[in-house]
Amino acid sequence: MQPTTVDCRCGKARLHLSEAPVAQFHCHCEDCRAVTGGAYAPLALFPAGGVTVSGGDTATWTYRTTPRTRCAHCGTLLFGEPPGMGVRGVSGFLLPAELFKPAFHIHCQRAVAPVKDGLPHFKDMPAAFGGCDEVIGW
């Protein structure tokens, strides 16, 4: 992946992405729904060192266990940083369409708006993330 820079909605905070994502997916868990206000959250996981912030001020808060960072000016969710995983989950809404390529859905047993898109829909998590690979057929 070529280094990429994406901006928050107001353009004051910039994310510099210098490494390729390790996974891209849609998450239907209660936490993601609560912090985004949506039915699911599109996420791209990048190595934590491959995501840096410049420009405007940011604010970080923790919802349950995951610290999340937003632009302090416009409130755009920039990324979450699950403890102990060494990754930053960048909002797929910020990424150019050619960069965001989700491969699956997770936490689908908690979905409030099932999405029929031809991707695998894991009941909880895929085995690569510590789950059991059980899928839900929508």
Side-chain angles (χ1 to χ4, degrees):
M1 177 187 112
Q2 294 284 27
T4 302
T5 299
V6 296
D7 296 337
C8 66
R9 299 295 178 222
C10 73
K12 292 187 179 195
R14 292 199 162 130
L15 286 183
H16 303 281
L17 309 171
S18 61
E19 297 184 42
V22 296
Q24 298 184 61
F25 53 88
H26 296 289
C27 183
H28 296 262
C29 79
E30 291 93 347
D31 288 6
C32 285
R33 292 194 330 258
V35 300
T36 64
Y40 58 90
L43 295 169
L45 296 183
F46 291 86
V51 179
T52 57
V53 181
S54 69
D57 293 330
T58 59
T60 300
W61 88 105
T62 299
Y63 181 74
R64 296 192 187 181
T65 61
T66 302
R68 291 174 166 86
T69 300
R70 292 186 181 270
C71 170
H73 182 73
C74 70
T76 299
L77 179 61
L78 301 171
F79 61 86
E81 196 161 359
M85 294 185 65
V87 296
R88 287 184 168 174
V90 175
S91 172
F93 291 124
L94 296 177
L95 302 176
E98 67 273 7
L99 182 57
F100 186 63
K101 303 290 184 200
F104 53 87
H105 292 254
I106 63 171
H107 298 298
C108 294
Q109 68 186 352
R110 296 172 183 88
V112 295
V115 177
K116 296 179 183 183
D117 60 6
L119 298 176
H121 294 81
F122 292 98
K123 182 177 180 180
D124 189 32
M125 303 268 272
F129 287 11
C132 67
D133 274 348
E134 184 178 350
V135 295
I136 291 177
W138 284 338

